[in-house]
Amino acid sequence: MRIFSAFVFGLVNWAARKGVSLHSVSPDDNQARQNIRLTGIRGETFAYWYLRRHGYIIISRNFRAPGVKGEIDLIGFDGPNLAFIEVKTRTGSDQAPAGMPEDAVTRDKRRILSRMVRQFLMDRRLKNVNWRYDVLAIQSQSGSQPRVRLHKGAFTDR
């Protein structure tokens, strides 16, 4: 299975050789929002295959807890540890840097993630499992290969 993941990631990585963002031709707000959303989806797909290539076993994508705002991008096992992975994708050009993707995981975002994780663990009756929060940052300059940084155990609420 790792060979398959490496192969598919190779294809995804090749497809992203000029970045993961879409370039809007029109200044329309709806089109710009749609492009941002599609860039996020492309970033999460890139992250999914990146993590699979590095041995993660993904068990859930875009998990939403009923009654709790937000979502957990990816949930998977990294060996014996259950990882709740927040994917942040930032695009930009050299003239207008978009900032570090990791900076978008604010205290409020961590609080929301914490609520969803507690709900996930409670719903599945997972009491004695080792788990952590990971942040996968994708920085994609237009016209170049995305740079990926994986922060294992990026933060804690315990």
Side-chain angles (χ1 to χ4, degrees):
M1 195 60 153
R2 242 182 167 171
I3 293 172
F4 176 73
S5 297
F7 175 73
V8 173
F9 178 73
L11 293 174
V12 170
N13 197 27
W14 183 81
R17 69 193 177 281
K18 293 187 179 179
V20 295
S21 68
L22 299 172
H23 303 289
S24 179
V25 179
S26 68
D28 180 17
D29 281 344
N30 289 332
Q31 185 64 40
R33 264 189 246 122
Q34 183 70 11
N35 285 350
I36 290 169
R37 186 174 141 330
L38 289 174
T39 297
I41 290 169
R42 292 176 89 183
E44 285 182 17
T45 301
F46 187 88
Y48 173 84
W49 288 105
Y50 177 88
L51 293 169
R52 291 274 312 265
R53 177 177 170 234
H54 285 87
Y56 279 67
I57 298 170
I58 304 299
I59 61 172
S60 180
R61 290 179 78 168
N62 302 319
F63 171 79
R64 291 181 181 271
V68 181
K69 173 185 162 189
E71 73 177 19
I72 301 173
D73 296 328
L74 299 167
I75 302 171
F77 281 96
D78 180 23
N81 298 313
L82 183 61
F84 296 94
I85 304 134
E86 180 65 19
V87 178
K88 290 296 177 188
T89 305
R90 290 293 176 265
T91 61
S93 63
D94 293 331
Q95 295 83 15
M100 300 297 282
E102 299 91 332
D103 295 341
V105 184
T106 63
R107 188 169 68 188
D108 288 337
K109 181 66 175 176
R110 291 191 302 264
R111 185 177 44 78
I112 291 168
L113 285 170
S114 175
R115 285 184 188 160
M116 287 186 290
V117 166
R118 283 193 303 268
Q119 188 68 42
F120 181 88
L121 295 170
M122 189 173 58
D123 288 350
R124 284 152 184 82
R125 296 182 177 99
L126 300 172
K127 293 181 182 175
N128 297 321
V129 65
N130 292 325
W131 58 274
R132 68 175 188 245
Y133 297 103
D134 291 355
V135 174
L136 191 131
I138 302 172
Q139 208 162 5
S140 179
Q141 300 294 336
S142 182
S144 65
Q145 196 72 24
R147 289 179 297 187
V148 180
R149 290 182 299 279
L150 176 61
H151 304 282
K152 294 183 178 186
F155 60 92
T156 182
D157 66 343
R158 297 177 260 175

